[in-house]
Amino acid sequence: MHFSLPVLSLLSALATTATAQMVIGSDGPQPAATYGHVFNHAAIRSANLTASKAFYGSVLGMRELFTLTTSAVTVMQLGYPSPVDETAQHMVQTQGSRAGKLELLHVTGKAPETGPVGRLSHLAWTVKDVQATQERMVMAGAKILKKTGEDEGLAAVVKEYFGIPAGGVAAVTEFFRPVLFVRGPDGVLIEIIQY
């Protein structure tokens, strides 16, 4: 299936229907405390990393930055090189400030215990100061699922959102210790990583 309309034209066409109206945003300036924040990646749970990599790579042109395998989970991150001849090595070195990556998660050894494969696992942002961001989240009344630097809450997070069974938590604890996990207002897991 091919789509010939550019996105803006498509949005304009939708907005001209009797039931749709597009209103341009009116937000003020970005809060200074959030300067440097980057939407880093979206993660989905994959039943077959080879097939997923082939689709996102061959069909959509994403390139593999890295694959990390533990006894509990395999994580593959894909992104777009910029410039087009950028090496994977350079892409990994700049991953903290690189926006728009896709992370594929595959639970190793057995099928995920919770939630369907193909489900959105989480959305991730990289920030300059994860502790300050955590404080802002607390002040805003956000639901903190796991604080940065702590392990409490990690087992529940990795089981519910990553599909990693309780026996696999030890394999990912060190990796996730510095990460802040927050439940967004729509129930989506938000991962906050300091770069």
Side-chain angles (χ1 to χ4, degrees):
M1 178 181 292
H2 297 285
F3 297 98
S4 59
L5 290 175
V7 173
L8 192 53
S9 295
L10 180 59
L11 289 174
S12 295
L14 287 172
T16 60
T17 67
T19 59
Q21 178 183 6
M22 182 169 64
V23 177
I24 303 298
S26 61
D27 291 347
Q30 178 182 359
T34 66
Y35 290 174
H37 288 195
V38 174
F39 176 73
N40 188 269
H41 68 268
I44 55 176
R45 289 169 41 189
S46 172
N48 183 326
L49 285 177
T50 302
S52 294
K53 181 183 178 189
F55 175 78
Y56 294 109
S58 298
V59 178
L60 293 174
M62 298 186 94
R63 312 320 305 147
E64 180 180 352
L65 277 77
F66 65 85
T67 298
L68 171 70
T69 302
T70 74
S71 60
V73 66
T74 299
V75 178
M76 179 184 293
Q77 263 195 7
L78 307 172
Y80 288 105
S82 179
V84 294
D85 61 348
E86 182 181 30
T87 65
Q89 178 70 31
H90 187 262
M91 290 172 72
V92 168
Q93 290 170 347
T94 61
Q95 71 175 334
S97 60
R98 180 175 296 277
K101 293 180 296 190
L102 176 64
E103 185 170 274
L104 302 173
L105 304 170
H106 177 74
V107 175
T108 54
K110 65 181 214 170
E113 290 184 350
T114 62
V117 170
R119 165 184 111 160
L120 175 70
S121 169
H122 63 274
L123 302 175
W125 275 260
T126 50
V127 300
K128 290 181 181 179
D129 185 341
V130 70
Q131 189 65 45
T133 301
Q134 180 171 286
E135 291 168 14
R136 285 176 52 83
M137 293 283 187
V138 169
M139 288 176 33
K143 173 68 176 166
I144 306 295
L145 300 177
K146 190 203 86 61
K147 293 181 177 179
T148 181
E150 298 182 10
D151 297 341
E152 185 179 340
L154 180 61
V157 167
V158 298
K159 181 177 181 186
E160 181 178 351
Y161 293 96
F162 291 76
I164 297 172
V169 175
V172 297
T173 299
E174 286 298 317
F175 180 76
F176 284 128
R177 185 165 289 129
V179 176
L180 166 65
F181 286 111
V182 178
R183 180 177 291 132
D186 296 311
V188 174
L189 179 67
I190 306 296
E191 177 181 357
I192 307 291
I193 310 158
Q194 184 166 307
Y195 65 91

